[in-house]
Amino acid sequence: MSRRMRRPCSLLVLAALLLALCGCAPGRETPTIRVGVALYLQEDTFLSTVVQSLEQLARAREEALGVKLNFNIADARSSQASQNEQVDRFLQQGCDVICVNLVDRTAAAVIVDKAQAAGVPIVFFNRQPVQEDLDRWDQAYYVGSKADRAGILQGQIVLDAWQKNTAALDRNGDGVLQYVMLEGEPGHQDALLRTEYCVKTLTEAGVAVEKLASNSADWVRGQATLRMQQWLETFGDTIEVVFSNNDDMALGAIDACMAAGMTEAELPFIVGVDATPPALEAVAAGTLKGTVQNDAAGQAESILDLCCALAGGQDAASAVALEDGKYVWLEYTAVTKENLEDFLPEA
């Protein structure tokens, strides 16, 4: 079901919620849906985009339906212990729904058990819990995108460029694509799958590749800059492609190249994931050759639809398209300079 088709359905669900909360009698207080949102790290560029979209959509939904949507945003600053405490606080405050972007995807069981004991539905997003943990309760859900698909599309961007103009990427003319890999958080599912499938896409298409180096930069732009500086000192212009598990690290690689005095034409072929606003600017500038849109607005809309339905005791499937009764999957989309206009905000 498309997002365009889901919205009328979600509006009907929320209308039913309003009736349940306050009835039709005039003069009653505006009903409030209280949602606790726990983030692994609020300064993460993609997450900040999701939160911004969520708040914008919530304001529009409030105005359309006469309901108050109260979002309490908490930043765990990469501490699972802090996030667990934040969930406890949300429950004590009487939140109707809790949304969690996990610090540690293997630590969901504790949070699910807390929510179940309190009878409060929980929506995980962007960092997928272990399936066994999500299955612990029928009121636990996940909103996100399949990480292997991001890797495939990222690899396809490079593959298309290789097939279109091999000489432009194969600077040393050896017929082998030499690359470095900026990885996200060690052990993180998205980092592992994006890393695996971007390269697999090339090798399955018959492209010979050579990994010069790979290392974690923990999704962070500054760390990626330091990694890239080290690799430039070691490998110099033999680096033909930079794969990055997210856009912030890709931008960090660009920062290092520019600090080393490279011109745009001298940059390696750098690709990221997320299609954040700064990344789209870099694609427009030609320094970032491509990215893969991780649909922040789509995730926000699905989260909001789920929250409205669950807060009113409605069936989640009446508001969103669920797979296996638990999952809302959004599609990734490859972004290059050729289709960039489709992803830029409207003027």
Side-chain angles (χ1 to χ4, degrees), residues 64-310:
L65 294 167
V67 62
K68 179 67 176 175
L69 289 161
N70 185 350
F71 286 89
N72 185 352
I73 311 295
D75 184 358
R77 302 193 65 81
S78 299
S79 168
Q80 188 61 57
S82 295
Q83 189 167 77
N84 291 348
E85 292 173 359
Q86 290 163 355
V87 170
D88 286 336
R89 186 160 61 250
F90 290 153
L91 294 173
Q92 293 165 3
Q93 292 170 347
C95 285
D96 300 295
V97 184
I98 294 175
C99 302
V100 178
N101 168 243
L102 284 163
V103 174
D104 179 357
R105 68 178 295 264
T106 67
V110 172
I111 294 177
V112 172
D113 290 347
K114 290 175 183 289
Q116 183 177 17
V120 177
I122 187 158
V123 178
F124 295 97
F125 66 99
N126 193 53
R127 289 187 162 209
Q128 184 182 348
V130 176
Q131 183 175 341
E132 290 77 4
D133 293 341
L134 203 64
D135 289 342
R136 294 171 76 90
W137 191 32
D138 62 2
Q139 290 291 291
Y141 303 90
Y142 177 71
V143 175
S145 302
K146 296 182 179 181
D148 58 344
R149 183 64 180 161
I152 291 169
L153 290 175
Q154 190 182 58
Q156 190 65 50
I157 292 171
V158 177
L159 177 61
D160 289 346
W162 178 270
Q163 293 175 336
K164 183 177 180 179
N165 187 355
T166 300
L169 270 70
D170 187 19
R171 297 181 178 183
N172 61 10
D174 66 352
V176 178
L177 190 152
Q178 278 83 20
Y179 73 92
V180 294
M181 180 76 68
L182 286 164
E183 301 175 14
E185 183 181 337
H188 191 287
Q189 184 186 36
D190 285 5
L192 294 172
L193 291 175
R194 290 174 186 179
T195 296
E196 175 185 358
Y197 280 88
C198 66
V199 176
K200 188 175 181 179
T201 300
L202 291 168
T203 57
E204 288 186 344
V207 178
V209 300
E210 178 187 358
K211 180 174 73 174
L212 299 177
S214 65
N215 213 324
S216 169
D218 211 22
W219 310 114
V220 178
R221 183 170 182 165
Q223 290 188 33
T225 300
L226 294 175
R227 297 292 187 209
M228 191 66 190
Q229 287 173 341
Q230 294 166 354
W231 292 339
L232 288 172
E233 291 172 1
T234 303
F235 304 108
D237 59 6
T238 61
I239 300 172
E240 295 172 337
V241 172
V242 179
F243 287 106
S244 176
N245 287 171
N246 79 338
D247 284 340
D248 277 358
M249 295 188 297
L251 295 174
I254 293 170
D255 292 340
C257 291
M258 292 302 190
M262 288 186 178
T263 65
E264 178 190 331
E266 293 170 332
L267 290 173
F269 194 97
I270 302 173
V271 287
V273 175
D274 282 337
T276 61
L280 295 179
E281 292 177 6
V283 173
T287 53
L288 184 66
K289 298 305 182 183
T291 183
V292 179
Q293 186 203 39
N294 194 359
D295 191 356
Q299 287 195 27
E301 184 176 16
S302 294
I303 291 166
L304 182 60
D305 290 345
L306 269 174
C307 287
C308 291
L310 295 171

Side-chain angles (χ1 to χ4, degrees), residues 316-335:
S318 67
V320 294
L322 288 177
E323 185 173 315
D324 298 326
K326 290 282 184 181
Y327 298 92
V328 180
W329 295 117
L330 290 100
E331 292 296 325
Y332 284 109
T333 308
V335 183

